[in-house]
C-alpha cells in the first residue's frame, strides 16, 4: 500500500457512520449484508447510506455484489489487511519483541 491509498482509506474511515458501517460489515464477513439490512441496522436512510458506501467503495473498503434483487455489501478485507500492515510495517525496527503485543492483540480464534 502506498501513502495515497492509506490516506484515502483513513479518510474514508474518519467519519462515525462510515466507521460503524465498515466495522459492521467486517463482523459479517464472508457473507456480507444487504444494503437494506445495513440501512436498518444503522438507522439511516437509503440515500444517506449510499453516500457513505460510495466513499468506502472509492477507498476499496467496501465492495458490492448483486445477488438476485439485493445488493450485498462486503468489507474489503484485503484493503484492511494492507492498511494495517502499512501502519505497523516499521513498528519493531528489527526488534520483534516490540511487535509481539500488537500481534497478540490481532490474533483471533
Amino acid at each position: 500500500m502506498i501513502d495515497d491509498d492509506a490516506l484515502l482509506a483513513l479518510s474514508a474511515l474518519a467519519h462515525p457512520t462510515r466507521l460503524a458501517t465498515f466495522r459492521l460489515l467486517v463482523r459479517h464477513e464472508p457473507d456480507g449484508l444487504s444494503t437494506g439490512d445495513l440501512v436498518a441496522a444503522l438507522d439511516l436512510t437509503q440515500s444517506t447510506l449510499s453516500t457513505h458506501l460510495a466513499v468506502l467503495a472509492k477507498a476499496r473498503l467496501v465492495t458490492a455484489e448483486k445477488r438476485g434483487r439485493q445488493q450485498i455489501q462486503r468489507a474489503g478485507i484485503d484493503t484492511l489487511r494492507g492498511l494495517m500492515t502499512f501502519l505497523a510495517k516499521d513498528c519493531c525496527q528489527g526488534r520483534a519483541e516490540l511487535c509481539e503485543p500488537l500481534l497478540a492483540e490481532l490474533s483471533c480464534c
Side-chain angles (χ1 to χ4, degrees), residues 9-28:
L10 290 168
S11 174
L13 293 171
H15 186 282
T17 299
R18 290 192 293 269
L19 182 60
T21 301
F22 182 72
R23 294 186 74 201
L24 182 59
L25 288 172
V26 168
R27 286 192 297 273
H28 284 87

Side-chain angles (χ1 to χ4, degrees), residues 49-84:
L49 180 63
S50 292
T51 301
H52 290 298
L53 287 173
V55 173
L56 291 167
K58 182 177 180 184
R60 296 189 331 249
L61 289 165
V62 170
T63 59
E65 163 189 328
K66 186 110 168 120
R67 281 193 211 150
R69 294 177 50 108
Q70 294 185 326
Q71 283 282 87
I72 304 300
Q73 307 295 330
R74 297 199 50 225
I77 298 299
D78 288 339
T79 302
L80 173 61
R81 186 179 302 115
L83 179 61
M84 293 170 66

